[in-house]
Amino acid sequence: MPRISNALIRHARSIDKLLPPLLRPCRELRAAQNELRWLREHAAKVASTRNAKVRDTLLRNLVLERAKGKPLQYLLGSEYFGDLQITCRPGVLIPRQETAASVAYLARLVRQAEELPPELRVLDLCTGTGCIPLLFHDELAATRKDVRSRYLGIDISRDAVHLAHYNLQKVWRQKAYADKSVTAFVQADVLIDPFDDQNAGMPCFKAALNHYRQPPFWDILISNPPYISPSGYWSTTTRSVRLFEPELALLPPPNPDASDTERGDVFYPRLLSIAQHVEAKVVLLEVADLDQAHRVARLAQDADFFDGIEVWRDWPDQPNDAEPVELDGFPVIGQGNGRYVLCWRAQGAPWLGKDVVAKAETEPLSHYSLQPTFIYRPPSKIPL
Amino acid sequence: MPPTTLLRLPSLRPASASSVIRNGLPVCLRAFTTTGIGLAKQLPPRRVILDSEIEESFLKGSGPGGQKINKTSSAVQLKHLPTGIVIKCQESRSRSYNRKAARRILGERIEEIELGEQSRTAIKAREKSKKKASAEKKKRRKYKELAEAKAREDVEEDVEGEVEEGAIEHEVQAERLPAEEGSKGG
Ligand SMILES: C[S@@+](CC[C@H](N)C(=O)[O-])C[C@H]1O[C@@H](n2cnc3c(N)ncnc32)[C@H](O)[C@@H]1O
C-alpha cells in the first residue's frame, strides 16, 4: 500500500484537523471527508445535548477509533443494504455491497416471472444480520403484492440470530409492509450432517426445521457462507476485517485433513446437499473469486441436480466488460470479481427468465455429457 | 408563503397538460420532489434517460471485494454517453440513494443543455427569483430600481443555489457538445 504523503496530510489538516487520522483507514482525502461528514452527523444525532463540548469529544473519540481501523459501520451502528438500513453490531459480519447487488438482482429477476408459487419460500443459510432475506422481501414486495413469501434465515451464532430478529422488526416497522409474508430466524449449524450422530450442542439444519415447524421444501436457497481459506485470510483480507469482524463469519472451521483451498470450500458441498433435500429450484451461493466460483460451479454440476449454472460477478446488472465471458462452459455475467454461483432447475428456469431445458427423455444419452448444455439468454434489462 | 396565484406563469400553462406523466419514468423521483403542486404543473416532464445511454461505475477500486474488505465507499458515477456529461454522487452512505440522486441530477443537466430556458431547473430558478423579486418589491417599493437590479443578480445566484438543493454533491465535468452550443439554448 502506498504511503500517505506528508503533503496530503498537511493539505487534509488545513481543511479539518480531524481529517489526517482518517486518512489512515480511508487512504484518500475524498473518502476521509465523506467519513468525517458521516461521523459528524452521527455525533450530532447521538449527543442529544446541545452542549458542543460533549459532541466534539464524542466526535473526536469516534475519529480515533476509526483511525485504529474499527469499521465505520460498527461506529455508526448500521450499513445500507439496497434500500434497507441494516443495524450492525460488533460480533456479526457487516453486510457487503456486493451481496446486496446480487440478492437484489436475483429478486428483480424473480419478480418479473409471470407465474410464481402461491407461497414463495426463500431459505438463507448463514444469515448474519438477516440482511439477505430482508432485502429479497423488500425487492419482491415492491412490485409483487400478489405474492406471499416466506423466509427462513439460519445462523450458528446467537448474536447473529438476535440481531437478525432485531433487524426484521426494525425494517418491517420502517417500511410498513402490507403483505402477508412470514420471516423467521433460527439458530442451527448447517455443517452438521443430519445423518451423522447428533452433536450434542447445536441442532442441525433439519432438526431446526422440525423444531420450529418450518416447511421441509424451499424454492430458493441463498447463502453467503464463510469462504476464506486460512492463507487468504492472512494475505488478502484487510486489517480492519481481521481485527474487528468475527472470524466465525469468514473462516470455515479447521479440519486437519483439508488443504488450504479445501478448507475455504468446506461449506459448499453441504449447501448443495441441503439444496437437494429442500428441493430448491434456484440456488445462489457467494464465493471469494472466479477460481472459487469455478470450483463451486463444478461441484454443482457434479451434483447432477441442476439444469443450468452460471457465474455472477460483483455487479451482475452491468454488462460484462472483461474476460472471461465464459468459464469452462459456465457463462460469466456482470462486472467485477467473481462473486456468485447461480444454479437453477425445473420451475426455477422461468422464474429467472431462462429457457426451460429440454426434457431428458427426449435427448439421447450421449448429449448428457460432462459439459452442461446451456440455453442462455442474457437477462433482460432491469430498471432501477 | 405568498398565494399560489402569484407563482403561476400563465404563458407556461399549456405545457402542463402533457407534463404529469412522471410515474412511469425510469428515474426515481418521489423522494426528491420538493416543489409544490402549483409549480410542478408548469414544469415540463423530466427527461427520460435510457439505461443504454449511461455508463455507470461505482468507483469500486481494485482488489478483492466481498468478505475480504469492508468498504465504506458508496460513490456512484454516471457518464451520459451521448453528451459526455459525468455526474458523481457520494453524498449518502446508501449507494441506492446515490444512484437515484445521480440519475436525477444527470437528467437535469441534460435537460438544461437540450431545453435551455425551458428546462425544469431554469423554470424553477426563474420562479425562485420571481418570488424573491416580488418580496423585495413589497419591502422597498421606493427603491424600485435598486430592487430590480437585485432581482437580476438573484437569477444568477439562484441557478447555483438550485444545484445545491438537497445537499447533493456532484461534479459536472463540463463537456459540452460543441455543435449543440449555438443552435440550442432557448
Ligand atoms: C459471511 S457471514 C454472512 C452474513 C450475511 N449473510 C451477510 O451476507 O452479510 C457468514 C455467517 O455464517 C455464520 N456461520 C458460520 N458457521 C456456521 C455454521 N456452521 N452454520 C450456520 N451458520 C454459520 C456466521 O455466524 C456468519 O454470520
Side-chain angles (χ1 to χ4, degrees):
Chain A
M1 225 183 272
R3 245 182 66 94
I4 301 164
S5 74
N6 285 334
L8 180 60
I9 294 171
R10 270 198 306 277
H11 178 50
R13 186 175 300 118
S14 74
I15 300 172
D16 193 312
K17 65 177 193 315
L18 290 177
L19 277 176
L22 290 177
L23 284 174
R24 213 173 137 202
C26 294
R27 314 304 302 173
E28 284 169 5
L29 182 60
R30 199 58 259 203
Q33 286 176 301
N34 284 338
E35 291 205 3
L36 182 57
R37 188 175 72 245
W38 297 323
L39 287 169
R40 187 167 269 139
E41 285 165 9
H42 179 73
K45 216 172 84 191
V46 172
S48 46
T49 158
R50 250 174 275 134
N51 186 335
K53 233 184 179 163
V54 175
R55 201 189 47 218
D56 290 352
T57 313
L58 179 64
L59 178 60
R60 203 157 344 103
N61 289 340
L62 286 169
V63 167
L64 289 181
E65 284 205 78
R66 181 68 184 120
K68 284 186 212 143
K70 186 160 181 177
L72 185 76
Q73 296 89 338
Y74 287 152
L75 293 170
L76 301 180
S78 70
E79 173 64 312
Y80 287 87
F81 196 71
D83 279 336
L84 306 180
Q85 192 180 8
I86 297 289
T87 295
C88 295
R89 291 183 196 140
V92 183
L93 189 100
I94 297 159
R96 304 294 200 253
Q97 299 299 332
E98 294 89 338
T99 307
S102 279
V103 170
Y105 188 68
L106 176 66
R108 286 167 190 205
L109 285 177
V110 169
R111 76 188 186 186
Q112 288 180 338
E114 271 164 37
E115 268 184 61
L116 288 173
E119 180 181 82
L120 185 71
R121 295 183 188 153
V122 180
L123 179 63
D124 177 35
L125 301 177
C126 302
T127 199
T129 56
C131 54
I132 291 176
L134 292 175
L135 180 60
F136 194 100
H137 171 257
D138 186 65
E139 291 289 344
L140 187 72
T143 64
R144 293 299 290 263
K145 307 230 167 9
D146 59 312
V147 179
R148 185 158 42 97
S149 44
R150 176 186 282 274
Y151 303 86
L152 175 62
I154 288 184
D155 204 287
I156 197 173
S157 145
R158 217 170 61 114
D159 287 351
V161 173
H162 278 172
L163 183 56
H165 265 130
Y166 178 86
N167 275 316
L168 170 65
Q169 278 159 17
K170 190 177 102 171
V171 166
W172 273 69
R173 209 172 32 241
Q174 270 175 5
K175 291 272 179 163
Y177 297 123
D179 60 283
K180 294 206 170 56
S181 296
V182 185
T183 308
F185 292 105
V186 160
Q187 193 182 8
D189 184 342
V190 304
L191 283 181
I192 298 179
D193 189 322
F195 301 106
D196 270 2
D197 283 339
Q198 262 289 300
N199 209 316
M202 191 63 58
C204 71
F205 160 76
K206 253 187 115 188
L209 281 192
N210 290 339
H211 183 264
Y212 292 96
R213 296 175 194 287
Q214 292 288 328
F217 301 119
W218 293 82
D219 299 309
I220 298 179
L221 186 153
I222 307 179
S223 181
N224 174 15
Y227 55 59
I228 305 178
S229 69
S231 70
Y233 186 72
W234 293 108
S235 61
T236 59
T237 62
T238 61
R239 198 173 143 267
S240 165
V241 169
R242 281 196 304 278
L243 288 181
F244 292 93
E245 294 199 86
E247 217 180 277
L248 177 67
L250 303 161
L251 269 172
N255 174 349
D257 302 330
S259 71
D260 187 67
T261 308
E262 282 165 359
R263 190 169 153 200
D265 294 352
V266 158
F267 275 81
Y268 299 103
R270 282 291 304 145
L271 296 172
L272 288 167
S273 126
I274 291 175
Q276 296 188 44
H277 271 110
V278 303
E279 300 186 6
K281 314 291 188 293
V282 173
V283 176
L284 185 68
L285 304 177
E286 187 166 323
V287 293
D289 50 33
L290 272 182
D291 287 341
Q292 195 169 36
H294 191 178
R295 295 194 299 273
V296 172
R298 271 205 309 245
L299 264 179
Q301 186 183 317
D302 292 345
D304 209 9
F305 180 62
F306 298 106
D307 297 334
I309 300 168
E310 66 186 24
V311 172
W312 287 2
R313 296 175 184 270
D314 289 329
W315 319 110
D317 58 340
Q318 303 292 310
N320 189 344
D321 60 354
E323 289 292 321
V325 293
E326 197 198 81
L327 197 65
D328 199 7
F330 308 111
V332 179
I333 310 301
Q335 281 176 22
N337 290 309
R339 188 59 62 214
Y340 270 95
V341 174
L342 174 79
C343 319
W344 67 87
R345 55 180 275 272
Q347 297 102 291
W351 298 348
L352 298 170
K354 310 279 181 198
D355 291 326
V356 181
V357 176
K359 278 265 181 297
E361 301 93 78
T362 62
E363 280 198 271
L365 212 65
S366 59
H367 282 191
Y368 240 64
S369 69
L370 296 168
Q371 289 298 313
T373 42
F374 288 106
I375 303 169
Y376 176 68
R377 225 173 43 207
S380 45
K381 256 294 186 206
I382 298 170
L384 190 71
Chain B
M1 209 40 200
T4 41
T5 42
L6 282 182
L7 297 177
R8 292 210 174 117
L9 283 177
S11 62
L12 283 169
R13 299 284 305 191
S16 68
S18 60
S19 71
V20 202
I21 34 160
R22 284 193 188 169
N23 285 349
L25 304 184
V27 191
C28 176
L29 313 165
R30 272 186 45 220
F32 307 102
T33 314
T34 50
T35 26
I37 298 161
L39 181 56
K41 273 193 181 167
Q42 302 149 13
L43 295 174
R46 279 183 199 268
R47 169 71 157 72
V48 181
I49 310 171
L50 301 176
D51 272 351
S52 57
E53 285 178 78
I54 47 182
E55 194 179 271
E56 182 165 25
S57 60
F58 299 122
L59 313 175
K60 42 198 174 244
S62 51
Q67 291 169 12
K68 293 178 174 177
I69 174 168
N70 149 25
K71 290 179 216 151
T72 61
S73 163
S74 50
V76 170
Q77 183 169 301
L78 292 186
K79 182 169 185 183
H80 187 242
L81 301 172
T83 57
I85 296 176
V86 174
I87 301 286
K88 184 174 162 185
C89 184
Q90 49 190 329
E91 169 63 20
S92 165
R93 286 204 294 137
S94 161
R95 171 167 289 157
S96 146
Y97 174 97
N98 290 341
R99 281 181 98 176
K100 290 169 187 169
R103 275 176 170 69
R104 180 178 63 89
I105 297 164
L106 178 61
E108 289 175 2
R109 291 296 94 80
I110 297 169
E111 209 198 29
E112 278 165 19
I113 293 173
E114 287 178 348
L115 300 181
E117 287 297 293
Q118 299 308 315
S119 69
R120 294 172 64 94
T121 44
I123 292 172
K124 281 196 211 164
R126 274 201 302 277
E127 276 303 324
K128 218 171 168 182
S129 71
K130 264 191 111 182
K131 262 189 270 176
K132 261 195 191 173
S134 75
E136 295 283 331
K137 253 191 215 160
K138 271 183 204 157
K139 254 199 276 174
R140 331 187 202 173
R141 200 157 262 160
K142 284 182 205 162
Y143 305 105
K144 205 174 163 225
E145 275 186 8
L146 212 81
E148 274 172 5
K150 179 85 170 76
R152 274 198 297 279
E153 264 176 46
D154 283 348
V155 174
E156 279 158 39
E157 273 173 29
D158 281 344
V159 173
E160 279 172 15
E162 196 64 40
V163 168
E164 306 265 315
E165 193 181 286
I168 288 153
E169 204 187 294
H170 71 289
E171 294 164 10
V172 183
Q173 287 160 15
E175 287 101 329
R176 287 266 198 80
L177 283 182
E180 299 271 305
E181 252 196 277
S183 57
K184 294 213 176 162

